[in-house]
């Protein structure tokens, strides 16, 4: 996986010039939707499949009208189910695909699922809109040549904060990992991989370190800070910030940008030590019952705005 300091605004950006241009993880910003025609696969290619597509995705992570426009243009009805995190999705698929055609795993999970034979190689001839993906996302290290996934969204993790309570923008992970200034007014992500990795980043270690001593140091830092943490929030830190339950949160960049549009007292900061950069991909899991419909959907979500 790749990581970097993503700059001061931390805004999630789509890797295509598509209808999802300002979608956040895991929050959809109003107005985004696939809005123009789709190049359909030949009708003969899908003739053996029923007009059905089963999608398994994160909550609030798709355009408001995307599913409707897909159905309008293809006649394919969509069943849309939700999962809370990569591990929940992985566990369900690892036990045997219960019938999903599209899933949206994150970069590290894509790599794992490829190694375990849990994803179907894509037929790019059925996804002509894949050409709209920005060059920097066309040859990802964990999926060279986009053999298994179409990049869906990318963004960072940073600190969301209430400006009236935090007078100086937090420019360091120290604010949430190593300070009592906002005791019991802090929420961290309920994501052990992200939290532990960023704690190591704060300590000056590689975010992906596997050194037992460095991991232990990050663990000890978090244990020391625990009395000052109000909650490890399962993707709801932005809601806690909006409700006034906390003043600083570790959260996905798009969620905080969305919250800031609702409340001008909220802002986002990318700490100086650097942060985590993630890419989610739309994939077809092994044993998908409607692979042709799935390819049509992957093409649909890459339609230019």
């Amino acid at each position: 996986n790749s990581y970097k300091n993503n700059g001061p605004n931390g805004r999630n950006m789509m890797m295509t010039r598509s209808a999802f241009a300002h979608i956040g993880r895991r929050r959809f910003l109003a107005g985004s939707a696939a809005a123009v025609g789709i190049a359909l696969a030949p009708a003969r290619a899908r003739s053996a499949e029923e007009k059905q597509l089963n999608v398994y995705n994160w909550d609030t992570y798709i355009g408001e009208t995307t599913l409707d426009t897909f159905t309008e243009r293809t006649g394919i009805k969509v069943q849309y189910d939700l999962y809370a995190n990569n591990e929940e999705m992985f566990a369900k698929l690892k036990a045997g695909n219960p019938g999903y055609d599209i899933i949206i795993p994150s970069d590290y999970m894509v790599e794992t699922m490829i190694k375990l034979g849990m994803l179907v190689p894509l037929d790019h001839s059925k996804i002509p809109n894949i050409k709209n993906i920005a060059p920097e996302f066309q040859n990802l290290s964990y999926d060279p040549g986009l053999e298994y996934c179409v990049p869906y969204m990318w963004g960072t993790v940073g600190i969301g904060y209430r400006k009236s309570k935090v007078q100086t923008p937090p420019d360091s992970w120290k604010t949430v990992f190593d300070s009592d200034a906002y005791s019991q007014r802090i929420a961290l992500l309920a994501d052990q991989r992200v939290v532990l990795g960023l704690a190591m980043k704060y300590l000056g270690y590689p975010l992906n370190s596997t050194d037992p001593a460095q991991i232990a140091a990050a663990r000890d830092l978090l244990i020391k800070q625990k009395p000052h943490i109000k909650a490890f929030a399962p993707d709801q830190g932005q809601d806690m910030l909006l409700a006034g339950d906390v003043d600083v949160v570790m959260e996905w960049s798009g969620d905080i940008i969305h919250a800031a549009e609702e409340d001008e007292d909220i802002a986002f900061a990318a700490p100086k030590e650097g942060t985590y950069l993630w890419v989610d991909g739309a994939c077809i899991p092994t044993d998908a019952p409607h692979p042709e419909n799935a390819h049509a959907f992957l093409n649909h979500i890459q339609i230019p705005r």
Side-chain angles (χ1 to χ4, degrees):
N1 301 336
S2 60
Y3 304 88
K4 70 176 183 180
N5 188 319
N6 198 46
N9 63 9
R11 181 178 293 274
N12 294 8
M13 295 301 295
M14 187 57 186
M15 65 286 299
T16 74
R17 297 171 294 280
S18 80
F20 294 93
H22 294 296
I23 239 173
R25 190 196 207 184
R26 309 282 175 209
R27 185 72 52 171
F28 170 70
L29 306 188
S32 296
V36 296
I38 174 174
L40 299 177
R44 189 166 50 228
R46 287 206 308 266
S47 61
E49 289 187 3
E50 60 180 332
K51 296 287 188 175
Q52 179 68 37
L53 184 75
N54 303 317
V55 177
Y56 198 27
N57 196 3
W58 305 79
D59 189 17
T60 61
Y61 204 34
I62 196 165
E64 290 180 330
T65 62
T66 301
L67 300 180
D68 290 337
T69 54
F70 176 69
T71 297
E72 289 171 4
R73 290 174 171 84
T74 65
I76 299 169
K77 295 181 179 180
V78 180
Q79 172 65 39
Y80 194 81
D81 293 344
L82 305 176
Y83 56 85
N85 54 54
N86 282 290
E87 287 66 34
E88 177 184 335
M89 177 275 298
F90 176 79
K92 180 171 283 192
L93 272 294
K94 187 67 169 61
N97 187 350
Y100 292 116
D101 302 300
I102 294 289
I103 56 174
I104 315 290
S106 298
D107 36 32
Y108 73 97
M109 188 58 71
V110 169
E111 185 173 28
T112 296
M113 297 181 83
I114 290 173
K115 290 178 179 177
L116 293 175
M118 296 174 65
L119 300 179
V120 174
L122 302 179
D123 183 344
H124 285 202
S125 70
K126 297 175 182 176
I127 317 172
N129 285 326
I130 204 168
K131 66 185 179 183
N132 296 315
I133 294 173
E136 58 266 37
F137 293 98
Q138 289 183 2
N139 196 39
L140 299 169
S141 61
Y142 56 88
D143 184 24
L146 307 183
E147 184 178 357
Y148 290 92
C149 284
V150 171
Y152 187 71
M153 305 290 162
W154 75 271
T156 64
V157 176
I159 298 175
Y161 64 99
R162 188 164 286 283
K163 292 184 283 186
S164 60
K165 300 293 185 179
V166 183
Q167 302 302 321
T168 302
D171 67 348
S172 170
W173 287 115
K174 179 181 178 67
T175 303
V176 296
F177 287 144
D178 197 17
S179 171
D180 62 0
Y182 304 100
S183 185
Q184 284 298 303
R185 304 293 294 172
I186 300 168
L188 301 184
L189 280 168
D191 188 316
Q192 62 183 8
R193 180 175 178 272
V194 172
V195 172
L196 194 63
L198 289 175
M200 288 193 289
K201 190 73 172 172
Y202 167 67
L203 292 171
Y205 305 137
L207 193 149
N208 283 319
S209 176
T210 58
D211 184 320
Q214 295 178 357
I215 294 172
R219 175 203 64 199
D220 293 344
L221 176 71
L222 293 168
I223 291 173
K224 180 182 176 182
Q225 184 69 353
K226 187 177 178 181
H228 304 300
I229 298 171
K230 185 180 183 70
F232 287 84
D235 196 21
Q236 62 188 32
Q238 71 280 356
D239 298 325
M240 297 180 71
L241 195 60
L242 282 166
D245 296 330
V246 295
D247 298 325
V248 290
V249 300
M250 170 195 285
E251 257 299 344
W252 311 112
S253 52
D255 285 344
I256 299 303
I257 296 301
H258 179 84
E261 293 188 350
E262 294 185 32
D263 186 340
E264 63 182 13
D265 192 34
I266 291 174
F268 178 87
K272 62 187 178 184
E273 295 90 358
T275 188
Y276 167 57
L277 187 153
W278 52 264
V279 180
D280 292 342
C283 312
I284 303 175
T286 300
D287 297 326
H290 312 104
E292 295 293 333
N293 297 348
H295 277 87
F297 184 78
L298 294 180
N299 193 57
H300 184 70
I301 61 175
Q302 301 300 329
I303 294 171
R305 178 181 286 243

